[in-house]
Amino acid sequence: MTDLKTGANPLFLREEELRQAIEMLYFAYRDFTSEADAMLEKYGFGRAHHRVIYFVGRHPMISVSDLLDILKITKQSLSRVLGQLVRDGFIVQHRGTADRRQRLLELTAKGVEIERQLTEAQRQRIANAYREAGGDAVQGFRAVLLGIMDAPERGRFARRDQP
Amino acid sequence: MTDLKTGANPLFLREEELRQAIEMLYFAYRDFTSEADAMLEKYGFGRAHHRVIYFVGRHPMISVSDLLDILKITKQSLSRVLGQLVRDGFIVQHRGTADRRQRLLELTAKGVEIERQLTEAQRQRIANAYREAGGDAVQGFRAVLLGIMDAPERGRFARRDQP
DNA sequence: GACGATATGTCAACAACACTGACTTATTTT
DNA sequence: AAAATAAGTCAGTGTTGTTGACATATCGTC
């Protein structure tokens, strides 16, 4: 009744299915970042720099504390990386007008360019995977990833048809 | 003609779609590992220890070089982590019988137990996400992740109906 | 049986990136 | 005026990866 030979035991299949998902996430995420990681080396930067560049590009004039909320790292960790990026001219800081304590972050032209280069390989991977898998698969992909992440994070990906 | 206001410009939508995918991967992967990361601290271990424990559990009697092939790290990086796990009694090494140069790795009972605990939260996340998203979504999720990872890695997830 | 290749391990130095803890400055809010 | 907030800084620590060099045991082949 346990059906070990045929692999039809539902519990066994389920365990295998879950482990495959764990491993697919690991391999896909690692490969996903590999080209950008290689490119970053040439600038003497690491993955943390890419994250900062990416999210500043995505949210121009973001405050330091809002960026910390997204990245969920300490300000000491951020400051090392951000300091380099400002010194090297990839990011500029603007004093806030409403609240002058804030340092609002923005990519320079140089910053926009490196962001484009770094993210291009990742965009390509996603675009190819989406195209090959098809629209229904994309919806499934998004649904499962949303289910995996912590609930508060899901708000960042609200559906367009909801005001 | 560019339709900026309505958001109906297909290029614009596509860019937004790709960026959402990039971010979903980042947030989902980070949250996915958070419980295990917290548990590992209590043992004085890091995420690297979890990976070794996981893959040794998944491939009992795996050789060191095969494990290195999966993890794609240097043997020096592995040796630090593996050495700790062996010293602390989570993994045992068996001399290979066919090739006595090999050190085949296996979890101890203690190792099996910590593996179960560490992976449990991840299994739960996947199981919940799979259940909520449904079977078709799971297929889509797998298809897209397979498309994102490097082609050679895809072989690890062969379909069951192919011999 | 000698010799080159392979599997594994080890020592040392280094870099990236996260952390904690303590403290400062400027500005806003109460 | 006092408390809270935004941001920055200094110092120390730990994990995890890297490169390079070298050692030992075993296997496979000529």
Side-chain angles (χ1 to χ4, degrees):
Chain A
M1 303 305 171
T2 46
D3 247 342
L4 277 174
K5 287 264 183 62
T6 65
N9 181 329
L11 279 178
F12 198 79
L13 276 188
R14 179 183 171 74
E15 169 74 11
E16 172 66 20
E17 188 178 36
L18 295 179
R19 288 203 177 263
Q20 286 203 6
I22 290 173
E23 291 160 36
M24 288 173 88
L25 270 176
Y26 169 62
F27 291 123
Y29 192 76
R30 187 186 60 186
D31 296 344
F32 175 67
T33 61
S34 61
E35 287 98 346
D37 287 349
M39 212 174 311
L40 286 158
E41 271 186 56
K42 296 172 192 161
Y43 292 87
F45 290 160
R47 199 177 292 180
H49 297 79
H50 187 187
R51 284 191 201 123
V52 171
I53 288 172
Y54 179 89
F55 284 111
V56 170
R58 186 78 151 117
H59 304 285
M61 301 299 274
I62 191 176
S63 72
V64 172
S65 54
D66 284 352
L67 182 54
L68 287 174
D69 278 349
I70 291 177
L71 295 173
K72 291 197 169 60
I73 58 176
T74 61
K75 62 177 174 178
Q76 295 95 322
S77 293
L78 173 61
S79 102
R80 193 189 327 113
V81 171
L82 182 56
Q84 284 177 268
L85 292 171
V86 170
R87 267 194 301 284
D88 294 357
F90 294 98
I91 288 178
V92 278
Q93 294 172 305
H94 306 277
R95 174 151 307 192
T97 48
D99 185 338
R100 287 168 47 81
R101 289 172 303 179
Q102 292 182 330
R103 299 292 180 275
L104 306 180
L105 308 173
E106 195 184 23
L107 293 184
T108 61
K110 196 175 158 190
V112 170
E113 174 56 18
I114 198 179
E115 196 283 330
R116 200 192 54 71
Q117 284 179 27
L118 285 172
T119 310
E120 182 55 28
Q122 300 187 333
R123 245 195 310 263
Q124 280 300 321
R125 273 185 192 262
I126 305 279
N128 291 340
Y130 271 17
R131 181 165 32 72
E132 287 164 22
D136 290 351
V138 169
Q139 274 207 272
F141 171 75
R142 291 178 50 102
V144 172
L145 277 191
L146 281 170
I148 290 173
M149 72 180 69
D150 287 349
E153 234 100 68
R154 290 173 201 157
R156 305 187 189 279
F157 306 98
R159 295 252 50 116
R160 275 181 291 279
D161 48 64
Q162 283 177 9
Chain B
M1 303 297 181
T2 45
D3 246 341
L4 277 173
K5 288 262 184 62
T6 64
N9 179 328
L11 279 178
F12 199 79
L13 276 188
R14 178 183 171 74
E15 170 73 10
E16 173 65 20
E17 188 179 37
L18 296 179
R19 287 201 178 265
Q20 285 203 7
I22 289 174
E23 291 161 37
M24 288 173 88
L25 269 176
Y26 169 62
F27 292 122
Y29 191 75
R30 186 186 61 188
D31 296 345
F32 176 66
T33 60
S34 61
E35 288 97 346
D37 287 349
M39 213 175 309
L40 285 158
E41 271 186 57
K42 294 173 193 158
Y43 291 88
F45 290 160
R47 198 178 293 180
H49 298 81
H50 186 187
R51 286 193 199 121
V52 171
I53 288 171
Y54 179 87
F55 283 111
V56 170
R58 184 77 150 120
H59 304 284
M61 301 300 272
I62 191 176
S63 71
V64 171
S65 53
D66 283 352
L67 182 54
L68 287 174
D69 278 349
I70 291 178
L71 296 173
K72 290 196 171 58
I73 59 175
T74 60
K75 64 177 174 177
Q76 295 95 321
S77 295
L78 174 60
S79 103
R80 197 186 318 113
V81 172
L82 181 56
Q84 284 176 268
L85 292 172
V86 170
R87 266 194 300 283
D88 294 358
F90 294 98
I91 288 179
V92 278
Q93 294 172 307
H94 306 276
R95 174 151 309 193
T97 48
D99 185 339
R100 287 167 48 82
R101 292 172 302 180
Q102 293 182 330
R103 300 291 180 274
L104 305 179
L105 308 174
E106 195 183 23
L107 293 184
T108 61
K110 197 176 160 190
V112 170
E113 175 56 17
I114 197 179
E115 196 283 330
R116 199 192 55 71
Q117 284 179 27
L118 286 172
T119 310
E120 182 55 26
Q122 300 188 334
R123 244 195 312 263
Q124 280 300 320
R125 274 187 192 261
I126 304 278
N128 291 340
Y130 271 16
R131 181 164 32 72
E132 287 164 22
D136 289 351
V138 169
Q139 275 208 273
F141 172 74
R142 292 177 49 103
V144 173
L145 278 190
L146 281 171
I148 290 172
M149 73 180 69
D150 287 348
E153 234 100 69
R154 289 172 201 158
R156 304 186 189 281
F157 306 97
R159 297 250 49 115
R160 274 182 291 279
D161 47 64
Q162 284 178 10

